[in-house]
Amino acid sequence: MTKEVQRWLKENALPLKGLHPEASDPGYGDLEPLRKVLRDVRVLGMGEATHGTAEFFRLKHLLLRFLVEEMGFTALAMEASASAAQAVDDYVLHGTGDAVDAVAGLGFWTWRTREMLDVVEWMRDHNRTVPQDRAVRFVGIDPQRCGPSLAALGAVLRTLAPERADITGGVLGALAEARTGSLVAQRPQLLAEARDLERFLQEERPRLASHIGDTAVDQALRHARLIVAAADVASRPPRGDGEETGALAARDRHMAQAVVSLEEGTAGKVAVWAHNGHVCTDRYARDIPAMGHHLRDHYGERYYALGLLFGEGAFRARPGNSATRPPRKHTISAAGPRSVEAQLASVTSEDHLIDLRAGRTEPAVAEWLESQQFMRSFGAGVPRVTYRFSMTQTVLMREYDGLAYVARSTPSVLLS
């Protein structure tokens, strides 16, 4: 990194305050320069290098407040079960149900945290004070873990078509907890039954509407489409088979489509909360087209990908990439000197945010952005010991529009 790049980064680093409990200023006043940066953005992708860093939750909470209160954003799209997130949406919009139960039911341990509960409670408090058209929604975009949709449709069918009501006991029932690419052998039957269920609801819509109303039928059809998407993702090989798109790529495509549908159906703008690998505008895991790749194709520069990085400390994840072992604290020291994290830290050790788009016209900065670099990226689980040395390749110009750097990471706090 040349002196010209260091100087540009230092001059353009936007300080971030209020990310730590002891912070004297928990407000978002320091984010004011983002008003110009995000003025024409319709969808903001807010990434994270780990799912278990408390400061990432707090930064996104801070950003969400600013986006909603100052920038006209009216929806938070979460990398969480689209089926289960309905309970959270009902709570933040209407106060229906219990916040802790709704957050705990989101389908992934990563969101069952005190920090996420704080976000949801703030959304509810905000919605109490604004007109309905300015209320902020909480919407899941991941088709996985569609148990609530299966249960909701089962309840409808028990009354109106009892011969079809046992959808949780058949092959579709496996979708309630199925992981990506875990039901490959059942693909023909899964897709056939899921599509047949959606087709039945479409064909019987007039009769169903006369009993439960158009709104309830629309909701039932939404659940049916989520089940089709869940079947599609669960029954593909993870990385594809020949010319067939893999489950990982299909999942990101479904999530992008959900974001587009949400944005087109709301008067406001949309903030997306997901891993760096999903919000980036290129590919992750070597060759998987990311959700952000599809969003960039659709929105162009009106989609902004913000990656979140950290220096050192600890984060929460499942050990050994296990799907069953409980998440625990993982400690890690600073990344090597050639990493993006180390380069950002060399400019300023404080938490900060950089708008990379502003550097594209600076020749030295553009060259740095176009060079191959390395950064950290951890999912819901991490390999034993070797996670400390794990890095992923990146070309910042291709993947991110901005970066936020948190100097010290602490583990997210799980709900008991």
Side-chain angles (χ1 to χ4, degrees):
M1 187 168 60
T2 65
K3 290 182 179 179
E4 289 85 356
V5 175
Q6 288 181 317
R7 182 174 62 251
W8 183 87
L9 289 172
K10 189 174 185 65
E11 291 173 352
N12 289 273
L14 174 65
L16 294 172
K17 299 178 182 179
L19 304 186
H20 304 275
E22 67 276 9
S24 58
D25 179 16
Y28 55 68
D30 289 327
L31 300 179
E32 187 63 27
L34 290 181
R35 189 185 299 275
K36 180 179 179 182
V37 173
L38 302 176
R39 179 180 55 201
D40 298 321
V41 169
R42 289 296 301 174
V43 176
L44 171 65
M46 304 186 298
E48 55 197 18
T50 90
H51 284 314
T53 291
E55 287 72 22
F56 290 164
F57 282 88
R58 295 186 191 123
L59 174 52
K60 293 184 186 184
H61 188 170
L62 196 68
L63 280 167
L64 184 65
R65 283 184 54 200
F66 176 75
L67 296 171
V68 170
E69 295 178 352
E70 302 293 328
M71 298 291 295
F73 282 66
T74 56
L76 175 62
M78 283 291 305
E79 182 195 341
S81 165
S83 296
Q86 183 64 55
V88 182
D89 196 37
D90 289 341
Y91 177 79
V92 300
L93 287 177
H94 311 296
T96 305
D98 178 79
V100 174
D101 290 343
V103 170
L106 278 175
F108 303 93
W109 72 262
T110 50
W111 315 132
R112 294 195 291 269
T113 68
R114 171 57 56 182
E115 294 84 4
M116 180 56 71
L117 182 61
D118 289 343
V119 173
V120 168
E121 291 289 19
W122 173 81
M123 293 174 73
R124 176 62 193 142
D125 288 343
H126 169 81
N127 288 343
R128 287 192 181 101
T129 66
V130 298
Q132 186 174 354
D133 62 348
R134 290 177 52 200
V136 59
R137 295 190 58 200
F138 186 106
V139 179
I141 57 174
D142 195 332
Q144 297 182 99
R145 310 295 178 89
C146 65
S149 288
L150 291 167
L153 276 186
V156 170
L157 294 172
R158 274 194 295 275
T159 301
L160 302 175
E163 71 281 2
R164 287 177 168 267
D166 189 23
I167 57 175
T168 59
V171 65
L172 292 180
L175 296 173
E177 298 295 331
R179 301 181 68 190
T180 300
S182 63
L183 300 173
V184 177
Q186 294 100 309
R187 182 172 178 79
Q189 186 179 2
L190 271 173
L191 286 178
E193 293 198 16
R195 289 167 176 165
D196 181 64
L197 181 60
E198 180 186 4
R199 183 166 50 251
F200 170 78
L201 293 173
Q202 287 280 19
E203 292 173 350
E204 294 293 320
R205 182 183 182 109
R207 181 175 68 86
L208 297 177
S210 68
H211 286 80
I212 60 177
D214 287 326
T215 300
V217 175
D218 287 341
Q219 189 71 1
L221 279 166
R222 175 180 175 273
H223 286 304
R225 294 183 187 111
L226 285 176
I227 292 170
V228 172
D232 181 40
V233 170
S235 64
R236 292 176 182 264
R239 302 193 72 89
D241 182 12
E243 296 182 358
E244 183 75 7
T245 301
L248 297 174
R251 180 190 177 212
D252 273 65
R253 176 171 50 78
H254 282 295
M255 290 198 294
Q257 290 170 346
V259 172
V260 172
S261 295
L262 176 60
E263 187 273 331
E264 291 178 345
T266 180
K269 306 172 185 179
V270 176
V272 182
W273 183 316
H275 193 273
N276 282 348
H278 296 305
V279 305
C280 77
T281 56
D282 195 16
R283 286 163 167 75
Y284 71 96
R286 299 191 306 277
D287 59 356
I288 307 299
M291 171 182 63
H293 174 81
H294 300 292
L295 294 176
R296 173 54 50 82
D297 283 348
H298 186 85
Y299 290 103
E301 292 291 286
R302 294 182 303 151
Y303 172 69
Y304 192 102
L306 178 67
L308 270 60
L309 310 179
F310 73 98
E312 60 183 339
F315 61 94
R316 195 172 302 282
R318 280 179 165 152
N321 284 314
S322 169
T324 57
R325 298 189 66 181
R328 66 173 181 81
K329 174 182 176 181
H330 296 266
T331 59
I332 194 166
S333 57
R338 297 182 62 185
S339 66
V340 175
E341 292 89 342
Q343 293 178 77
L344 294 178
S346 71
V347 175
T348 172
S349 61
E350 302 299 320
D351 301 343
H352 63 277
L353 188 150
I354 297 283
D355 173 36
L356 299 180
R357 286 184 178 180
R360 294 174 180 173
T361 58
E362 301 284 340
V365 179
E367 183 178 356
W368 178 70
L369 292 173
E370 291 172 352
S371 64
Q372 181 174 288
Q373 303 189 59
F374 296 88
M375 58 196 295
R376 286 170 164 163
S377 180
F378 304 115
V382 295
R384 299 176 186 276
V385 182
T386 58
Y387 73 86
R388 294 186 175 92
F389 318 107
S390 176
M391 303 291 287
T392 184
Q393 294 182 357
T394 182
V395 176
L396 295 175
M397 182 76 85
R398 298 178 191 167
E399 298 189 0
Y400 299 101
D401 300 296
L403 293 176
Y405 172 80
V406 172
R408 187 161 191 83
S409 169
T410 61
S412 56
V413 180
L414 297 178
L415 294 173
S416 56

